[in-house]
Amino acid sequence: FTGAPSLREAEASGALPPVAERLPKLPRVVDMAGTGRLPGKHGGRLRLLIGGQRDIRFAPIIGYSRLLGYDPDFNLHPDILESYEAERDTRFTFRLREGHRWSDGSPLSAEDFRYAWEDCALNTEMFPAGPPPDMLVDGRPPRFSVIDERTVRFEWDSPNPEFLVRIAAPVPLRIVLPSAYLKQFHAAYATPEALAPLIKQQRVDDWVALHMKMSRLTRPENPDLPTLEPWMPRTAPPSEQFVFARNPYFHRVDENGLQLPYIDRLEFNISSADIIPAKTGTGDSDLQFGGIDFADYTYLKDAEKRFPIRVALWRRIQGSRMALIPNLNCRDDGWRAVLRDVRVRRALSMAVDRHELNMAVFFGLAKESGDTVLPESPLWNPTLSELWTRHDPVVANGLLDAAGLLRPEGHHMRRLPDGRLAQIVVETAGESTLQTDALQLIADHWREVGIDLLIRTSQRDIFRKRIMAGEIVMSVWEGMDNGVPTADMPPAALAPTSDDQNQWPLWGAYFQSNGSAGEPPDLPEAIELLHLYQAWQRSVSTEERELIWGKMLRLTAEQVFTIGTVNQTLQPVVSARDLRNLPHEGLYGFNPTAYLGVYMPDTLWRDTSEGGA
Amino acid sequence: MSEPRDLLRIEELSVTFPLYGGRIEAVRKASMRLLPGRVTALVGQSGSGKSVIGRTILGIQPKTAEVSGRILFDDPAAPAGHVTDLRALPRDGRAIRKLRGARIGMIFQEPMTSFSPVHTIGNQIDEALRIHSILSPAERREKVLDMLALVGFPAPKQVIGMYPFELSGGMRQRAMIAMALICDPALLIADEPTTALDVTIQAQILRLLRDLQERLGMAMLLVTHDLGVVANVADEVVVMYQGEVMEAGTTDDIFRRPSHPYLRALMNAVPRFDMAREERLAPLVPVATDTRRLMSACRVAAPVAGANPVLLSVRGLTKTFTPRTGRGLFGPRAEPMRAVDDVSFDIRRGETLGLVGESGSGKTTVGKMVVRAITPDAGQVLLAGEDVLAARGADLDRLRQRVQMVFQDPVSSLSPHMTVGSILTEPLEIHHRGDRAARHEAALALIRSVGLMERDLIRYPHSFSGGQRQRIGIARALALGPELIVCDEATSALDVSVQAQVLNLLRDLQRDLGLTYLFVSHNLAVVNYMADRIAVMQSGRIVEIAPREVLMRTPAHPYTRALLAAVPHADPDHPLDFTRVGEGRSSKHWPAAFRPEPGAAMTAVDLGDGHRVLARADADMSELMP
Amino acid sequence: MTGLPPPGAPLGHYVSDAPFDPLAAERAAEAAPAVAATQGQVMWWKFRRHRLAVISGLFLIAMYLVVAFAEFLAPSTVDTRNVERIYAPPQALHLFDKGQFVGPFVYGRDMTLDLDTLRRVYTDDTSRVEPLRFFCHGAAYRMWGLIPADLHLFCPANGGELFLLGSDRLGRDVLSRIIHGARISLTIGILGVTMSFALGLILGGIAGYHGGWIDLVIQRVIEVLQSIPTIPLWMALAAIMPVTWSPIVVYAGITVILGLLDWTGLARAVRSKLLALREEDYVLAAQIMGARPRRIIARHLIPGFMSHLIASATLTIPGMILGETALSFLGLGLRPPVTSWGILLTEARNVSTLALYPWLLLPAVPVVLVILAFNFLGDGLRDAADPLR
Amino acid sequence: MIRYILWRLAVMVPTLILISMLVFTIIKLPPGDYFESYVQEMRALGETADLQEIEEMKARYGFDKPVPVQYLHWVGGMLHGDFGYSFEYRMPVSEVVGDRMWLTVLVSMATIIVTWVIAFPIGIYSATHQYSWGDYGLTFVGLLGLAIPNFLLALIMMYFANIWFGISIGHLMDRAYLNQPMSWDKAKSILEHLWIPVLIIGTGGTAGMVRRLRSNLLDELEKPYVVTARAKGLAPGRVLMKYPLRMALNFFISDIGSILPQVVSGAEITAIVLSLETTGPLLIRALQGQDMYLAGSFLMFLAFLTVIGVLISDIALALLDPRIRLEGRAAK
Ligand SMILES: Nc1ncnc2c1ncn2[C@@H]1O[C@H](COP(=O)(O)OP(=O)(O)OP(=O)(O)O)[C@@H](O)[C@H]1O
Ligand SMILES: Nc1ncnc2c1ncn2[C@@H]1O[C@H](COP(=O)(O)OP(=O)(O)OP(=O)(O)O)[C@@H](O)[C@H]1O
Ligand SMILES: [Mg+2]
Ligand SMILES: [Mg+2]
């Protein structure tokens, strides 16, 4: 095995053991050539621009080192784990690599799982309301057992198909913690006398807060906290630049035995969001995906001529880049009745000229489609994308007439059955001009069918309140977050399961709170979706899940609960020209691709033979 | 002595100012000359261009002025024959700057406004020294202090740290003189240098100027209206009228053989001490103003005829000022200064009380307290029995219409941003008198009655001559047709002919409408002409008060006597004895009965006939009687 | 040389022999046409002499006419779109085609998409001459939001296009948007300026003239108001304005409230100046005449401060015209379809615009012109009010 | 004077209390709170927030308590030097500001000094050469700066500075020097970056200053005391400095009260566009994200500076013009 030259000095001085001792006995070998990548060499840095300190959370997301994770084709495979077993989705056994170490050199072992579960999750001081709901199935926690030094097991009574998905998520479930480091902050291990000065020094109130502060993984602000990611934080906030240095104990190697990552350090530079495109275009970023948008592409492409950068276009994975979402729980009785009529939703969908929208805003490069899964998903069904999305004002007019939204003689605008003018106020929380621009086009389209669309913008934080209160009749949001699901991923987004679903916030809240908030769904199709989802939760085989997914997708597409416009829109990804192994095309999204995570940024390397920093 | 030469030669000087749709020819082809060590007096009608000539010599005329002609300056300190044409020097260039202040000093006519309000007197006097000499700061300070003492400040150290607005009119004028003299100039342009000074100090200043003249060979261009002063100090005289030189010659020629009708009219207009009570002054143009019409537009109520009740009654007025000298944040508080000390007097309706006295004795302060422009620390002011100081609301409104004041400083008392027309109509507007047209009529009548013209209504105050501004102030005070007018040096800047016109107007108004005046002046002849009774102030107190004739004939108080002795006469045969004047000014030379000493109670002793004099309560009557 | 002896020689007795008539001057003045003029007239005469100020004044009047008749003057409405003509650069206006006079016209254009750089490329087609139409019927609008009409001063040729200042990302005519934007830019902000000035003068005047405890109280109010920076206030206000209000009402509301709060700087300047000026004799004179404080402040004291006021006013105007840029920047300002110059500039706030579509910055031109005009007008007013001129 | 200062210091207490209430209202005014907007922002990115931690913080910082209690808690904390906790940065407010404070002061002071250094000569020139080509030209340039929104100017300058001089866009120093101790190279890098923000932020202020100075000077230039000074032989420049300029400064001095807070708040929006490491963007973000203690404490700090600034300005006024008697009117 070969370690990075940048660590030679530390190795020589004895601060670090030699590379062979830092790697697990059985490291994860990434087959570069086999996956179309070029084996590279160590060194170099990557500069990234972020809009604020909180965006350093990108580091553990794109690092994407998980117990088990997805590959670009969304197959799960063990990563940190040497292997795992999921029996009927109820009993999960995880086996660690021998000699695997945290970034501070302490061994990764079953104790770290036990600490996370028994000392933290089950600690009533830390979690007064009991273990995190994500770990519960039918309200009951798993049985946890340590099999041996390297093997642990979680076991539920009924199937938990979401467990592995959650572990592989961009922000994973926390079932393993660096216990050796954290015990000094835990009341069960440290004496109050030892804790007191730490509490004071960190300016927190008690040891729980201290532990929480020191163990934050999602926003790596504690440079001392050991990690398993390819790069570990080196900067304590506040700062304008956050440096992440290579983790000397990282567990992956390439086929030539070079320890990954190739890149020595990541530098996150805070810039105001407004000038991220500008700075990217002047070569100030070596890898940029956040803070830039399709609208910047022309400029960035233009900048390719002047600066050693390369612009790739990836595809976004949302079910729809922008969807109009009628609120079936809105308080306005007239509109609620109308919107619950599937004919109205279909008519509104068909009234939208998606082609014009696509041409005007996306150069015709997006796909006109309803809000549904993308071709990259094994669940894709082309007919569903096209369902009720053809631009046909005649049919739309007919549907609206049938639904009782009539045009009085000699008038162009329709009226609601209760006599009011059919003026629909669409609210956006958007800061993006894209939404307002597209809405203006849609307003024109809808005027053709006699519906008047008014745009109103609310502050983002009161937007949610207003949705919940039913004050918003129709909103603009993005479509399904994950447009590339596999059958093994939960179809929660399709059913009323959460209060942040703008089409049925109250029904979602009802489910989420186990009936203590919101309202039970009373639309048969919604109820059916919920039942299907619950069936998925109890399912044990992929085939069964595929079936359920298929039913749910068809139902939602038929019912047009959300009016999708276009999807597979493009996302520029800018990289230094000498950066290797970044695919020219890819899927861009948070879940499940973890932005770049599934494309393994640890395999990126800089081809200095070509020049560049 | 080498060959004779002129220090300054003005040849064919013309100065014009543009005015909307016309121009003002302020100076027309005027020529004159000044000999080294000699005094040339420039006399003439108010607005005849005297001040403009003075400024033009220094090149500090307003930017808008168009100048032609030559001004040749032959500096005695420069090599002989090196004559500079001051007009040809670049404006504010190095050459002219070296002359200004150092070789040519200037005393401005309006000392009140010629000082920067935010710098101390000492700082401003010192400035010329700082530029033109190489003295050290201590030496300069020494020199400034000397100069201040020379111009008659009893406590120069204190004055150095004071701000201009804390000084009385006369004190500012003296500071101005000190500033002009500080560099021992070869030529002094003195534009009415003594108008705000009482005659004793005036004499002291004139003596000082003469000293300098003799000692340093300083020449002086003396602009003045006081023919008495001219007769006493000038060697040559130039008489101007409407921008033109009417007559020029030696003092002798001018006083003994006045030839031009203007000059003769001027001589005739001088008020004399031996005038009969009813005798009128003879103005140049014998205009008769219809007094009733002048005020009918505005007058509210005709005065109550009948006996002469007391209109204004002043009791125990006292005012103390705290100087702001202590510069810096944490300076010690300066000693409070008693400006007016227990002043009481009465004025009957239709009467004029003349108020004369030493410069800085508190006359202006008394006047301002009477019109309620300053609140006294103690005392009472009653107008026809009404308490002036307590009036509020509608009472105050009425009061304001009954009492007016002509300010000593005409410049700062006229709003710089209002045309004369607006200034004159404003009081009427405030009290809703008449309509627009009527108010305009009234303004027109007022401006004519003080000898100005209709077109002057659209001009702004700054473009007038000193005397013209003063007349605007008088016209404004008359606008409301008040019962009582406080005239604070109301005619000091007027030449005798215009002065005669204005004084006659005031007398006519008094005769016809029963106006009452508190007439503050340093010109004793004028006071004599106007006043029924005269009060003399010194150091904040009234030292003597008596009917006019009594005071003039038998002054009791040593200060009054000193005053009378120091009056210069417009007669070369009766020169003033400069060496003796001013002796009675300081109480040191006074007889014990009048000397205010700590512990000695002073009271107004009645000498009969309404003649009262301030003396020790225990003084013997005979000591007091002259 | 009349009467002047040679240097140093003794002075002879010179007597002018010109005729002397003491009444001549008066008679001459009487003969001259009466110049009865009020102060206002005098100031107007002086103002007229200032050429640039007069031109600026006329320009501003013209701008306000544009504001009044924006719908008619603009070739299209605010949000008329042409998705075929996105990001079209300005078209040149020609008069002669192949040496022949045709009147004002533009050439037709073809658009191609460059799929590599994703740019729209426009090329003139000189065979298509599209003359402008005048007093033509075009996009329908409601005059002042009330009267339906479709008459325009000029429109593109039938079936042709006209983007004299180019088009934006939705293919909207920049020229039309600038014309429509003038309406908000030149009204609401000015309202704010006026209010803050009125308040600043009144409260500053009172504090400065009276001094004492009145001053103390007003100063504390000023302190409190000055302590709150505008941006947070703006954000807070924007957040509590009911969402149901139309954006223009919200914006007007905020501007007015800001106008109500923005007077402090001016008030302090006025106050400190008055504290010094109130000691002048002419103030005493006015008091003796019986003038009320209000009058003294307005007629005697404030004019002495006019230059500063005029300068401040003309300087505040850009702040108010561009006020909404800051707001829009923070996502609080006006929303489509309402537009203003500030909005137009905010929309152009990214580098792409700068690098690729610079004509979107054109709204800065009227802003600059209006601000210059206001300032030169101010100069003229200053001179008119200045007695020394 | 000392009595006056003590009196004014005493008056500051109720003023500051009033201000603190106002500030608290302002940061509380927008509906919702930090956590609400945080959750929404995460959601807009398609991500999920760490709800557990948020609930915990909500309880810890008394968001469930009535508003007056929250206010007292906040004010009480500040009196103890505890400025609260920043939710966004998850650390005490006092630690968040860090380096930003002195960088802000640096930028602001540089801007103010540059503004003055440019504005004073130009203002004087414009006044003494009224209606010359120079006057018109400088007025035009100044107003141009005023008429173009700063953020646009910032963008334009950054872009062209990059295209023409290759200067990297925005920020106050090269990234390499971040978090480094001060060194010669770091100082150099800061200076290299400083001129752009200084120029941009300075434009508006300079034009305003020039115009105000010009008009105030024009008023004073022909005053009698100026003529007196000229008659003494003072050079025009010296005359100008000593007399009219001093009088014209009145307006300028009376505005010191607002300069002081500007020094620490920085030009927020320009700073955002230029990504300056100053406090302005911090404040705006805190306000936008409803990071209430951070915003509130900062606003209070600004308010305190304002109050002090007003006091200084009053004292300076009295020193500048002896006619101004602040302690009440003696004569009337
Ligand atoms: N700046 C100016 N603009 C226009 N006219 C002026 C200006 N200064 C003076 N004048 C006019 O020039 C004439 C001469 O004024 P000047 O001040 O020289 O008079 P004067 O002889 O000094 O009078 P007085 O004895 O009243 O002071 C007057 O009629 C006056 O109105
Ligand atoms: N505002 C003030 N502050 C301080 N001292 C003042 C103030 N006004 C006047 N004084 C002082 O009060 C005294 C009287 O001044 P006042 O103006 O009444 O004198 P006056 O008799 O009118 O003198 P003059 O004849 O010189 O005009 C002077 O010593 C002066 O210095
Ligand atoms: Mg004069
Ligand atoms: Mg006096």
Side-chain angles (χ1 to χ4, degrees), chain A residues 274 298 363 437 444 456, chain C residues 81 113 118-119 169 243 349:
Chain A
D274 287 280
T298 315
F363 276 86
D437 289 354
D444 279 358
R456 180 167 296 150
Chain C
R81 284 185 302 275
L113 279 175
L118 295 189
R119 260 182 107 149
R169 61 181 198 285
V243 215
R349 78 174 201 225

Side-chain angles (χ1 to χ4, degrees), chain D residues 119-129 213-214 217 240-241 245:
Chain D
F120 270 87
I122 293 185
I124 291 171
Y125 175 87
S126 276
T128 49
H129 298 75
L213 193 63
R214 172 180 181 271
L217 272 179
L240 202 82
M241 298 309 264
L245 193 61

Side-chain angles (χ1 to χ4, degrees), chain A residues 439-479:
Chain A
L439 273 181
Q440 287 187 58
L441 296 174
I442 295 174
D444 279 358
H445 306 152
W446 281 8
R447 195 163 305 122
E448 290 305 300
V449 297
I451 304 281
D452 202 5
L453 183 156
L454 302 178
I455 308 164
R456 180 167 296 150
T457 315
S458 356
Q459 289 283 90
R460 195 149 54 190
D461 39 342
I462 51 176
F463 183 81
R464 192 164 102 112
K465 279 206 171 145
R466 285 166 49 73
I467 280 268
M468 290 293 286
E471 284 168 27
I472 294 178
V473 172
M474 187 176 283
S475 56
V476 177
W477 203 262
E478 281 153 355

Side-chain angles (χ1 to χ4, degrees), chain A residues 49-95:
Chain A
L49 298 168
I50 50 176
Q53 182 174 316
R54 85 164 57 138
D55 284 351
I56 57 170
R57 70 181 196 284
F58 282 142
I61 294 175
I62 63 172
Y64 201 60
S65 177
R66 302 288 179 267
L67 292 176
L68 41 105
Y70 290 109
D71 63 13
D73 301 322
F74 308 119
N75 302 312
L76 274 181
H77 54 79
D79 176 15
I80 293 171
L81 298 180
E82 188 179 284
S83 63
Y84 71 95
E85 252 170 82
E87 293 160 59
R88 303 204 76 250
D89 280 343
T90 53
R91 183 207 285 211
F92 301 90
T93 313
F94 298 146
R95 185 165 178 78

Side-chain angles (χ1 to χ4, degrees), chain B residues 367 370-371 397-407 427 431 473-474 476-488 516-518, chain C residues 284-290:
Chain B
V370 166
V371 298
D397 237 23
R398 247 182 326 105
L399 193 90
R400 291 300 192 198
Q401 303 185 47
R402 295 169 65 189
V403 186
Q404 284 298 312
M405 176 156 182
V406 181
F407 286 84
H431 296 287
I474 295 172
R476 176 177 59 183
L478 293 175
L480 281 173
E483 291 166 47
L484 172 73
I485 302 183
V486 177
C487 296
D488 194 357
T516 309
Y517 301 114
L518 174 60
Chain C
L284 283 187
Q287 282 174 337
I288 290 170
M289 283 186 294

Side-chain angles (χ1 to χ4, degrees), chain B residues 107-117 121 124-125 148 151 153 159 162-180 192-193 195-197 205 359-360 364-365 368 407-413 488, chain C residues 279-281, chain D residues 228 323:
Chain B
I107 300 170
F108 287 92
Q109 185 178 9
E110 269 134 354
M112 323 286 274
T113 19
S114 298
F115 281 109
S116 152
I121 294 290
Q124 297 188 58
I125 294 179
L148 285 173
V151 296
F153 281 105
V159 175
M162 281 170 95
Y163 291 97
F165 62 91
E166 294 173 311
L167 301 183
S168 79
M171 293 158 95
R172 276 185 247 182
Q173 192 160 44
R174 282 179 272 159
M176 186 87 225
I177 295 171
M179 192 158 89
E192 318 224 359
T195 42
L197 304 178
I205 298 287
S359 166
T364 301
T365 313
K368 283 188 175 169
F407 286 84
Q408 184 176 12
D409 178 11
V411 190
S412 68
S413 66
D488 194 357
Chain C
E279 307 282 340
E280 297 276 342
D281 268 354
Chain D
T228 312
R323 289 173 297 176

Side-chain angles (χ1 to χ4, degrees), chain B residues 59 91-92 97 100-101 113-116 118-119 123-124 127 130-132 163 165 179 324 329-330 373 375, chain D residues 1-2 224-225 228 230-236 242-243 246-247 315 320-325 331-332:
Chain B
R91 191 187 160 90
D92 288 343
R97 285 200 329 256
R100 288 178 185 164
T113 19
S114 298
F115 281 109
S116 152
V118 300
H119 295 88
N123 179 329
Q124 297 188 58
E127 190 160 36
R130 224 163 25 217
I131 321 166
H132 299 298
Y163 291 97
F165 62 91
M179 192 158 89
R324 323 207 72 221
L329 284 187
F330 311 109
T375 319
Chain D
M1 200 48 116
I2 285 205
Y225 56 76
T228 312
R230 282 172 58 208
K232 280 187 266 185
L234 221 58
K242 183 161 176 189
Y243 299 99
R246 171 149 175 195
M247 302 292 266
I315 294 171
L320 181 82
D321 192 331
R323 289 173 297 176
I324 297 179
R325 276 187 287 249
K332 298 290 141 65

